[in-house]
Amino acid sequence: TVYLNNQKTKVNFFCGRLCYSCDIFVQAFFSQNLESFLEAQQRMFDYFKGIPNRLIFDNAKVAVSEGFGLHAKVTKGYKSFAAHYAFQTDFCNIASGNEKGLVENLVGYARRNFMVPVPRVKSLAEFNQKLRKDCLNYRGTHKVESRAGTVAETYNEECFYLKQIPAYRYDTSRKATPTVGDYSTVRFDRNDYSVPVKYLRKEVTVKGYANEVCIFHEGELIATFDRIYGIGKTEYRLEHYIDLLERKPRAVFQAKPVRQNITKELIDWGHLLLGGNKDMVKLLRLCVDHGEERILSIKDQL
């Protein structure tokens, strides 16, 4: 549990460890879906600056279609990922802590040392930056009792045996090709995201990563959002609707893209403008171009 932007939030954390040096890698994700599982390993390879010949997995249900241990059958999606990075997959048996003691210990270590007291951060990205610094500090200062050298010393030895990361980066996203709806939104994973109104009723490509959603039209990136987890939620961007509001200003004060993105202070200011709805739209255009915080700072100087 962490506080993200003052909201108490449950997150999942991924733990990886090198067997020889005992160097560690810890990152947090909103979900245990396949996108997060693949991205976590990709980040781990980047952090370790190489790929081990073999990965031993605990709690990898998202990568296994059926069975466990030696009898586990890997999903097609994960098989493709493993083939791209050319590593062997070994899956642990149920309730067999002896098969993955190093990472079992890391889970407890990370909870006690990285998540106590409860972290307070503005975003998951900020939390992951903190976790990365914690891992680097571990590498630089720690020594495992059963090892002859420090973690840093043995990691430098182990690096030599890690395989080089391919130049081409595997796309870990989950993809969909929806049509933009009447409200200039697209549906992905049971939630909606806005796009500029000029793409109304056009087909777009949505790539859902672990913590981000990217929307493309004919290969061009047209919108990026923090990924929403849940059901029936909608994320609007004011800049996607400002051109429409300039043509049709009547509903400006009731429009959801306005109410979701603009503070009550700015809306109250808009009600005082002599030009009514039209002046409010002009004010919103200034917010889109220069940022609401800057516009409100000018108001305070008046």
Side-chain angles (χ1 to χ4, degrees), residues 8-288:
K8 196 173 183 180
T9 308
K10 285 187 177 181
V11 297
N12 305 275
F13 64 101
F14 173 93
C15 294
R17 198 168 203 175
L18 292 174
C19 290
Y20 176 68
S21 65
C22 294
D23 196 22
I24 66 173
F25 174 79
V26 181
Q27 288 280 272
F29 296 87
F30 285 120
S31 173
Q32 293 187 33
N33 56 22
L34 182 61
E35 304 93 272
S36 302
F37 189 60
L38 298 183
E39 189 172 317
Q41 290 165 72
Q42 211 171 48
R43 292 189 199 179
M44 180 177 68
F45 299 151
D46 291 339
Y47 178 78
F48 290 144
K49 298 180 181 178
I51 306 165
N53 290 319
R54 182 170 65 118
L55 269 65
I56 306 169
F57 292 98
D58 176 33
N59 191 25
K61 295 176 183 177
V62 70
V64 175
S65 58
E66 60 179 277
F68 57 87
L70 293 174
H71 307 289
K73 292 185 178 180
V74 182
T75 62
K76 288 183 179 179
Y78 192 68
K79 190 178 289 186
S80 173
F81 178 82
H84 180 85
Y85 288 107
F87 59 81
Q88 177 187 333
T89 55
D90 285 351
F91 296 93
C92 295
N93 289 299
I94 297 172
S96 300
N98 59 299
E99 295 182 2
K100 69 276 187 178
L102 281 175
V103 80
E104 287 273 9
N105 293 336
L106 174 56
V107 171
Y109 181 90
R111 282 198 178 112
R112 294 188 304 271
N113 292 275
F114 301 163
M115 300 171 196
V116 176
V118 178
R120 291 180 176 271
V121 290
K122 291 182 180 179
S123 65
L124 195 68
E126 182 183 327
F127 183 44
N128 278 328
Q129 287 177 356
K130 174 193 174 300
L131 289 174
R132 183 181 175 86
K133 289 179 181 178
D134 290 335
C135 291
L136 287 170
N137 182 62
Y138 179 94
R139 178 187 291 173
T141 62
H142 209 77
K143 183 183 182 304
V144 179
E145 289 184 8
S146 59
R147 300 295 195 271
T150 65
V151 171
E153 289 169 347
T154 49
Y155 165 73
N156 288 333
E157 293 177 33
E158 194 167 19
C159 262
F160 180 78
Y161 296 95
L162 298 177
K163 287 184 289 190
Q164 186 175 354
I165 299 171
Y168 174 74
R169 196 168 184 82
Y170 187 90
D171 190 345
T172 60
S173 68
R174 175 182 162 192
K175 301 171 186 64
T177 53
T179 299
V180 179
D182 292 340
Y183 296 99
S184 198
T185 58
V186 294
R187 172 62 59 94
F188 177 76
D189 195 20
R190 302 177 295 179
N191 294 293
D192 295 317
Y193 302 85
S194 72
V195 296
V197 293
K198 67 180 181 179
Y199 298 105
L200 198 67
R201 300 186 185 88
K202 294 181 179 180
E203 187 177 272
V204 295
T205 299
V206 182
K207 291 187 176 184
Y209 295 92
N211 303 318
E212 185 179 57
V213 169
C214 299
I215 305 172
F216 298 83
H217 178 258
E218 296 181 349
E220 178 189 1
L221 180 64
I222 61 173
T224 303
F225 293 87
D226 290 337
R227 184 165 176 177
I228 308 169
Y229 283 100
I231 301 175
K233 299 178 182 178
T234 303
E235 188 75 23
Y236 295 104
R237 289 277 171 80
L238 178 59
E239 59 266 30
H240 295 163
Y241 298 90
I242 190 67
D243 292 341
L244 179 62
L245 289 170
E246 286 176 334
R247 296 197 304 270
K248 300 179 179 180
R250 176 175 290 184
V252 62
F253 287 104
Q254 288 75 40
K256 287 183 179 179
V258 175
R259 292 196 166 274
Q260 189 181 94
N261 290 280
I262 297 300
T263 62
K264 184 178 183 299
E265 181 182 359
L266 194 128
I267 290 176
D268 290 344
W269 184 18
H271 281 296
L272 300 176
L273 298 175
L274 297 178
N277 292 357
K278 290 184 178 180
D279 277 358
M280 180 61 186
V281 173
K282 292 178 182 178
L283 191 62
L284 293 177
R285 170 59 79 178
L286 290 173
C287 290
V288 168

